[in-house]
Amino acid sequence: MLYRKLGQTGLDVSVVCLGTMTWGEQNSEAEAHQQLDYAKAHGVNFIDTAEMYPVPGRAETQGSTERYLGSWLKNQNRADWIIATKVIAHSGIDWIRTTSDLSSDGIRTAVDASLKRLQTDYIDLYQIHWPDRYSPKFGQNRFDPKMARPGMPIEETLAVLGELIQAGKIRFIGVSNETPWGLSQYIRAAETQGLPRIQTLQNAYNLVNRVFEIHLAENCYHDGIGLLAYSPLAFGHLTAKYLTGSADARARLNLFPQFGQRYQKPNLQRAIRQLLDCAGDYGLTAMSLQYVKAHQLCNSVIIGATSLDQLAENISALQSDLPSPLLSELNRLYQDIQNPCP
């Protein structure tokens, strides 16, 4: 297993991060533990979860993912693991907690609840799941000034996170689904007011969504922020199973078609066909995962699986590097397919 530094934390994390979004919905507790055992046996030391998981979110299942991880983690050497979780921002999801924002009370309540479910004394990386303010996210690709509204001031959010770091409840902080403007505001607040600095950005990044490369990469490079790439297989599209019709009834987009909206874009199928031809015998899944891993700012690739076979395939793929000729061909194709699913 390859390990990389996590932002500027000094922590070494596996280039494979085990995503957990399906635990409690598509996967049972026993299956979650099997995934964790397999990941551990293959050198994974980095796990990503969230207070709202599993997804799709329901009051009846909320928090199950952290609980499943916690029931496994209590029998492990805690120091061997880097555990990341997330706090929801403005959403109206009042069945998670009544203070569903990034206020001091909201964050303190969320941290304590996550610690209890995870059965641990501290969280290694605590992430803001999405901006508290309005911003385009989850496949939206246009900022609409008419929808603009303020969120909790970033300074207030960072201040309470700093207090929680001092209290030993969290070690480092990150953001997710952020924009270049948002990243700049976090860095400016940290530098001008002596507040904790964000270490990581967890955003979607894959061969049909290379938006990170346009502006966010510049922010991350200059400010020492590491990319945690989620959705490296574009919800399974980059296995070609939806294109070829080989996805079984339990595939995520067959069970929950509402999640397909992010990828229901006019040029997706054309892009997948071109990428499939480009991969040839090498395999589209391996090529897609290795492309994400190859970015010099990527600290870890977050993979999610509903079966051990999928998990094994993905971990195996990430043990190899993308051949230079394939990378060159992908960059050539990019001029034609240009982010079909930003």
Side-chain angles (χ1 to χ4, degrees):
M1 178 60 66
L2 174 67
Y3 298 87
R4 292 175 174 172
K5 295 297 182 184
L6 183 68
Q8 297 178 325
T9 67
L11 298 177
D12 292 313
V13 294
S14 50
V15 74
V16 175
C17 177
L18 182 59
T20 62
M21 188 172 69
T22 62
W23 299 357
E25 184 65 56
Q26 291 174 263
N27 289 110
S28 67
E29 185 170 18
E31 290 170 335
H33 289 185
Q34 289 172 353
Q35 289 189 24
L36 285 160
D37 289 339
Y38 187 91
K40 176 183 178 180
H42 289 80
V44 174
N45 73 342
F46 191 21
I47 314 295
D48 179 72
T49 185
E51 67 169 338
M52 74 170 289
Y53 288 172
V55 174
R58 295 187 291 123
E60 297 81 3
T61 59
Q62 184 266 321
S64 297
T65 304
E66 287 185 329
R67 282 190 288 270
Y68 290 3
L69 176 54
S71 63
W72 183 85
L73 192 62
K74 69 179 182 180
N75 296 314
Q76 305 297 315
N77 180 357
R78 177 65 181 86
D80 292 341
W81 295 92
I82 309 300
I83 304 299
T85 192
K86 312 181 199 74
V87 54
I88 64 166
H90 178 86
S91 63
I93 308 177
D94 57 5
W95 39 263
I96 294 184
R97 49 191 165 83
T98 55
T99 50
S100 61
D101 57 32
L102 299 181
S103 65
S104 179
D105 288 344
I107 291 176
R108 289 181 186 278
T109 300
V111 166
D112 286 342
S114 286
L115 288 170
K116 183 177 181 180
R117 288 189 291 264
L118 290 167
Q119 300 191 50
T120 185
D121 296 327
Y122 64 94
I123 295 162
D124 297 284
L125 180 66
Y126 199 60
Q127 304 160 100
I128 296 163
H129 209 148
W130 57 78
D132 204 54
R133 67 187 188 277
Y134 160 74
S135 67
K137 53 187 174 292
F138 304 126
Q140 299 170 343
N141 55 15
R142 177 179 177 271
F143 178 83
D144 184 352
K146 294 178 182 178
M147 295 182 66
R149 57 165 177 74
M152 292 302 303
I154 283 173
E155 294 81 1
E156 179 176 341
T157 297
L158 287 179
V160 68
L161 290 172
E163 292 169 5
L164 290 165
I165 291 172
Q166 290 297 316
K169 292 186 176 183
I170 60 178
R171 298 176 70 189
F172 302 102
I173 59 173
V175 292
S176 184
N177 300 295
E178 257 300 357
T179 67
W181 184 87
L183 285 181
S184 297
Q185 297 305 301
Y186 275 102
I187 295 300
R188 183 174 69 175
E191 291 180 343
T192 60
Q193 301 191 35
L195 296 169
R197 190 181 184 91
I198 61 169
Q199 300 291 336
T200 56
L201 167 72
Q202 184 178 146
N203 273 34
Y205 178 50
N206 55 57
L207 282 172
V208 292
N209 177 3
R210 292 171 57 170
V211 171
F212 171 80
E213 299 173 5
I214 301 172
H215 300 301
L216 286 163
E218 184 178 13
N219 285 81
C220 290
Y221 173 75
H222 289 294
D223 292 321
I225 299 169
L227 171 65
L228 304 179
Y230 80 78
S231 201
L233 294 176
F235 267 50
H237 284 289
L238 287 169
T239 67
K241 63 184 180 183
Y242 296 110
L243 178 68
T244 62
S246 60
D248 65 33
R250 296 172 298 171
R252 189 161 188 80
L253 295 184
N254 287 338
L255 288 174
F256 310 113
Q258 67 269 30
F259 289 109
Q261 294 178 1
R262 183 167 190 164
Y263 294 99
Q264 288 174 354
K265 305 292 173 63
N267 292 322
L268 174 64
Q269 290 195 357
R270 182 171 71 90
I272 298 295
R273 288 191 183 95
Q274 289 185 5
L275 291 168
L276 192 59
D277 289 342
C278 177
D281 293 338
Y282 196 78
L284 179 58
T285 298
M287 183 180 75
S288 300
L289 290 171
Q290 290 169 20
Y291 178 83
V292 174
K293 171 194 167 189
H295 198 292
Q296 68 179 47
L297 296 173
C298 180
N299 292 174
S300 194
V301 182
I302 302 173
I303 59 171
T306 54
S307 72
L308 286 181
D309 286 344
Q310 289 176 332
L311 184 60
E313 180 185 9
N314 292 350
I315 290 177
S316 176
L318 285 165
Q319 303 312 301
S320 300
D321 295 326
L322 188 67
S324 296
L326 267 182
L327 179 58
S328 298
E329 181 62 11
L330 286 171
N331 286 330
R332 187 193 67 78
L333 283 177
Y334 179 63
Q335 303 308 310
D336 181 44
I337 60 178
Q338 289 279 334
N339 291 315
C341 299

